[in-house]
Amino acid sequence: MVEINSLLHAGYHNPAQRPWQIERTLTKSALMYPIFITDEKDSLIPIPSMPNQYRIGINRLEAFIQPLVAKGLRAVMLFGVPNDSVKDEFGTAADDPEGPVIQAIELLKSKFPALLVSCDVCLCEYTSHGHCGHLNSDHTINNEASVRRLAEVAVNYAKAGADNVAPSDMMDGRMRAIKQGLLDAGLSHRVSLMAYSAKYASALYGPFRDAACSGAKFGDRSAYQLPPGSRGLGRRAIERDVSEGADIIMVKPAMFYLDIVRDAKEIAPNHPIAAYQVSGEYAMIHHAAAAGVFDLKTAVLESMISLQRAGCSLILTYFTPELLEWLD
């Protein structure tokens, strides 16, 4: 005989009851769309490793974004993809007023003032060596010089009109430096700071590096991104970034790191928790669906629900255009 305290089915037998069991309901406002802005102004270049994603030139950006805004797009994350000719060892072009990111900020805020424009802050797309900061002569990270430069870039994005800056470089102490820079510039009241706090040295970034042309020319990023098995380091990084003034905490990648998402929610219960469903996760779901392993829409929605169940209130995903339609 089944025990009374074992009976669960009646609580979700009727379809009307099932939403009552869900901690969060997925809405369009929970989505942020990462987009790649090329300095080839008239281009719309498909990214072979990321189906339905493009490098977008500034002259194509309004037409690309307008139908998504009409469907309910609320937020984007900008990644610049400059020409190799402007890259140097210091990432000088990252905040060039004529470069792709600042031009995209200005255009989007002019044409779509209600759209939240977030900017990834990193140097890897702009350095000749492909690493995320400045280097010492032995090719190790010069953390102090890197943080100084990253703070400059973040503040210049904010001055151009960005609503949120999101350093993904994983340098020690960059949150405090950027927050102080925003305060000194009189922008801390309107520009939020999203920390890529628990960003792991994952195999899942391959398509992104293809899209952003940002692969390291030597070595890898495992000396500053977190080891995949390191839960404790992830927790310490989250605690550090909260203490340094981060407004939003991010975990990256997403689906392989749901335990870290839950940790982030427990460590920072009063902060929004974001997760970035990265390019490799996006590509895996797409290719599996194309091979008939599962239905694309069903799998994507389940991945979103899983992230929300773990504690996310914001999800960065390349599936945003599809989700804007599916959530109608």
Side-chain angles (χ1 to χ4, degrees), residues 22 28 33 35 52 74 92 153 183 204 239 243 308 313 324 326:
I22 299 171
K28 297 178 182 183
Y33 186 27
I35 58 175
N52 303 327
R74 300 284 299 278
T92 304
V153 172
L183 180 63
L204 298 172
E239 291 168 347
S243 73
Q308 288 195 307
S313 50
L324 293 174
W326 296 337

Side-chain angles (χ1 to χ4, degrees), residues 77-130:
M77 175 74 82
L78 304 182
F79 294 90
V81 187
N83 190 286
D84 283 348
S85 65
V86 305
K87 297 183 180 185
D88 61 24
E89 62 180 306
F90 303 114
T92 304
D95 51 357
D96 180 357
E98 300 302 316
V101 172
I102 288 183
Q103 286 197 326
I105 296 168
E106 292 173 347
L107 183 144
L108 290 173
K109 294 309 295 183
S110 170
K111 301 296 183 180
F112 310 102
L115 181 70
L116 184 141
V117 176
S118 179
C119 295
D120 178 83
V121 180
C122 196
L123 301 183
C124 61
E125 300 104 313
Y126 304 94
T127 53
S128 52
H129 46 71

Side-chain angles (χ1 to χ4, degrees), residues 26-41:
L26 182 64
T27 64
K28 297 178 182 183
S29 62
L31 304 173
M32 180 178 283
Y33 186 27
I35 58 175
F36 301 96
I37 310 299
T38 176
D39 61 4
E40 298 178 30
K41 295 186 177 185

Side-chain angles (χ1 to χ4, degrees), residues 149-187:
R149 177 68 185 126
L150 290 158
E152 289 175 354
V153 172
V155 169
N156 284 331
Y157 289 166
K159 288 179 177 178
D163 302 294
N164 180 74
V165 289
S168 62
D169 54 282
M170 291 300 288
M171 300 299 127
D172 287 336
R174 86 271 203 213
M175 291 299 147
R176 189 183 305 278
I178 293 172
K179 197 73 167 184
Q180 187 64 54
L182 293 172
L183 180 63
D184 293 346
L187 295 167

Side-chain angles (χ1 to χ4, degrees), residues 8-18 20-21:
L8 299 178
H9 290 170
Y12 55 96
H13 175 77
N14 190 295
Q17 296 171 305
R18 292 166 198 164
W20 305 343
Q21 305 290 347

Side-chain angles (χ1 to χ4, degrees), residues 28 33 44 47 61 71 73 89 122 134 141 149 164 166 212 218 222 230 243 245 263 280 283 286 291:
K28 297 178 182 183
Y33 186 27
L44 188 68
I47 300 167
L61 183 57
K71 293 174 184 176
L73 180 66
E89 62 180 306
C122 196
H134 292 188
I141 283 289
R149 177 68 185 126
N164 180 74
F218 49 81
S222 57
S230 59
S243 73
D263 282 347
H286 248 296

